[in-house]
Amino acid sequence: MSIRTIDDLEVAGRRVFVRVDFNVPLSDGEITDDSRIRAALPTLRALIERGAKLILASHLGRPKGKPRPELSLEPVALKLAELLSLDEVILPDDCIGDGAKKVVSDLRDGGVVLLENLRFHPGEEANDPAFARELAVLAEIYVNDAFGAAHRAHASVSALPQLMEFRAAGYLMKAELAALTRIQDDPPRPFYAVLGGAKVSDKIGVIEALMKRVDGILIGGAMANTFLAARGASLGKSLVEDDKLALARTLLQKADDAGIAIHLPRDLRVGASIEATEGRVVGIDEVGEEEMALDIGPATLRAYQEALFGAGGVFWNGPMGLFENPAFAEGTLGVARLLAESKAFTVVGGGDSVAAINQSGLADRFDHVSTGGGASLEFLEGKKMPGVEALR
Ligand code: ADP
Ligand code: MG
């Protein structure tokens, strides 16, 4: 069954509950990156323009079912008012109950209320129907624009929409589903996956799922260390998952059987520690006993550039190295640059990968940058996402 969007609903004068993902990073009460708030603006602006009464709801951090003042959405309400050019975004101090009901009933057309952190109630993460009913009484229409939270069976994304007669996806949710569905069902060919990041074990499901539909996989980051070690390289003090070597060999064998090329690094940039201020480039068999492989080397980058030449589609997850340290960022930035310049349909997913792309300033040159790290991977693994299923 297909999913409706906000364009399919009559919203003027109606109370519209919008589940957004405002789980922004905070430091000393200040928002350090507001991109999640900005990502929801197209949906919010459209609903305001059409005269809806907006009731926004999100989680923030992990308060574990109890109110915690430092995880209040107050800084988000202030930022949102600024971004929407509103005098204020009202924030009742509880997301359910009489206070919230009162604020909602006072809403004018085009007005905006942000409910306090959903996870201040244990019912949110427990997907509790009673908690969902208390949210449901606040609104007539349900909209989910929180792709980043759609893979969790929590009350605001799962139990709640099932209680609502009218439900739809927001524009962000729609864009996420469209880009990832294309990668999943009908990727432009040849289609490659570039995979990196910290661990093979985090990504087994997605590697196996992608193996069924890619023409090749290019591996970097600490994940590559485990594959290189599985092939017999000795990598000194590098991050290697010693208990995953057999699994890595099995994955390489499966790819081989399926005729899928797996590209591994040919050279590496190594350092004395993760704080090292410079690295040196070595062959994969030349890592010193006291050294760590912290980035792919320039020969690998060139090889990956050649392998991706003429690609129709590329999905990228996971940095090619310890990009947070500028001495080991070149592999990740190099891949970002070559994908930005590529004519291929390019999709990036993963929290740290997306942070790297944003840092590179190249984000708008990708076809799609997913706001949902874990969610995008679960989608590509073919798992049913509770928040998406509930919209059908
Ligand atoms: P994503 O969030 O994009 O899915 P991951 O969480 O799997 O990515 O991995 C990102 C982390 O992996 C980053 O913090 C990065 O510094 C680290 N990393 C990547 N390559 C290496 C490496 N060779 N050695 C140590 N850490 C690495
Ligand atoms: Mg991560």
Side-chain angles (χ1 to χ4, degrees), residues 48-132:
I48 291 169
E49 220 157 86
R50 289 163 60 193
K53 298 171 175 164
L54 263 59
I55 305 153
L56 311 183
S58 177
H59 72 281
L60 176 63
R62 296 174 196 270
K64 306 247 167 74
K66 283 192 286 285
R68 275 181 47 193
E70 69 279 18
L71 291 175
S72 165
L73 282 162
E74 203 175 335
V76 174
L78 291 171
K79 186 77 202 176
L80 185 63
E82 178 194 322
L83 292 172
L84 288 172
S85 311
L86 296 171
D87 293 337
E88 69 170 337
V89 166
I90 307 157
L91 181 86
D93 55 17
D94 193 354
C95 62
I96 54 173
D98 290 340
K101 273 190 216 159
K102 169 81 173 72
V103 170
V104 164
S105 70
D106 290 346
L107 260 180
R108 281 172 292 127
D109 293 357
V112 181
V113 165
L114 174 63
L115 300 178
E116 190 49 283
N117 197 340
L118 292 162
R119 289 193 187 166
F120 284 177
H121 287 269
E124 168 64 358
E125 289 180 79
N127 202 18
D128 176 7
F131 177 65

Side-chain angles (χ1 to χ4, degrees), residues 197-198 202-203 317-319 323-324 350-353 373-374 377:
D202 287 345
K203 315 249 167 106
N317 167 269
F323 74 98
E324 295 92 337
D352 296 291
S353 320
L377 297 185

Side-chain angles (χ1 to χ4, degrees), residues 73-311:
L73 282 162
E74 203 175 335
V76 174
L78 291 171
K79 186 77 202 176
L80 185 63
E82 178 194 322
L83 292 172
L84 288 172
S85 311
L86 296 171
D87 293 337
E88 69 170 337
V89 166
I90 307 157
L91 181 86
D93 55 17
D94 193 354
C95 62
I96 54 173
D98 290 340
K101 273 190 216 159
K102 169 81 173 72
V103 170
V104 164
S105 70
D106 290 346
L107 260 180
R108 281 172 292 127
D109 293 357
V112 181
V113 165
L114 174 63
L115 300 178
E116 190 49 283
N117 197 340
L118 292 162
R119 289 193 187 166
F120 284 177
H121 287 269
E124 168 64 358
E125 289 180 79
N127 202 18
D128 176 7
F131 177 65
R133 273 194 297 277
E134 296 207 60
L135 292 171
V137 297
L138 298 174
E140 296 147 281
I141 292 172
Y142 174 89
V143 171
N144 192 342
D145 212 20
F147 178 76
H151 59 311
R152 301 194 173 105
H154 291 174
S156 64
V157 301
S158 180
L160 171 61
Q162 294 172 57
L163 296 171
M164 306 289 291
E165 184 181 355
F166 301 102
R167 43 184 190 263
Y171 296 140
L172 175 61
M173 175 71 90
K174 183 186 167 191
E176 293 274 8
L177 294 176
L180 294 169
T181 302
R182 186 162 175 211
I183 290 292
Q184 182 84 328
D185 295 352
D186 188 21
R189 301 224 172 243
F191 173 52
Y192 298 98
V194 179
L195 300 176
K199 292 176 176 173
V200 179
S201 51
D202 287 345
K203 315 249 167 106
I204 301 163
V206 85
I207 298 172
E208 290 192 325
L210 283 168
M211 227 182 248
K212 298 190 185 110
R213 53 184 75 88
V214 293
D215 297 292
I217 301 183
L218 297 82
I219 299 181
M223 180 191 281
N225 295 346
T226 300
F227 281 98
L228 291 171
R231 284 203 172 154
S234 65
L235 295 175
K237 296 234 171 335
S238 306
L239 203 61
V240 171
E241 287 174 278
D242 289 315
D243 58 335
K244 293 292 177 298
L245 297 180
L247 170 79
R249 276 185 217 109
T250 309
L251 291 171
L252 290 170
Q253 186 61 49
K254 274 190 191 169
D256 207 33
D257 294 345
I260 292 161
I262 298 229
H263 301 261
L264 292 176
R266 310 169 167 209
D267 61 347
L268 300 161
R269 198 177 292 271
V270 298
S273 76
I274 57 169
E275 280 100 31
T277 51
E278 59 179 1
R280 81 186 180 102
V281 174
V282 301
I284 53 167
D285 293 315
E286 296 163 3
V287 181
E289 266 175 45
E290 297 299 319
E291 288 178 316
M292 301 178 83
L294 295 170
D295 196 8
I296 56 173
T300 305
L301 191 55
R302 276 195 303 279
Y304 285 9
Q305 180 160 20
E306 265 168 47
L308 292 171
F309 183 79

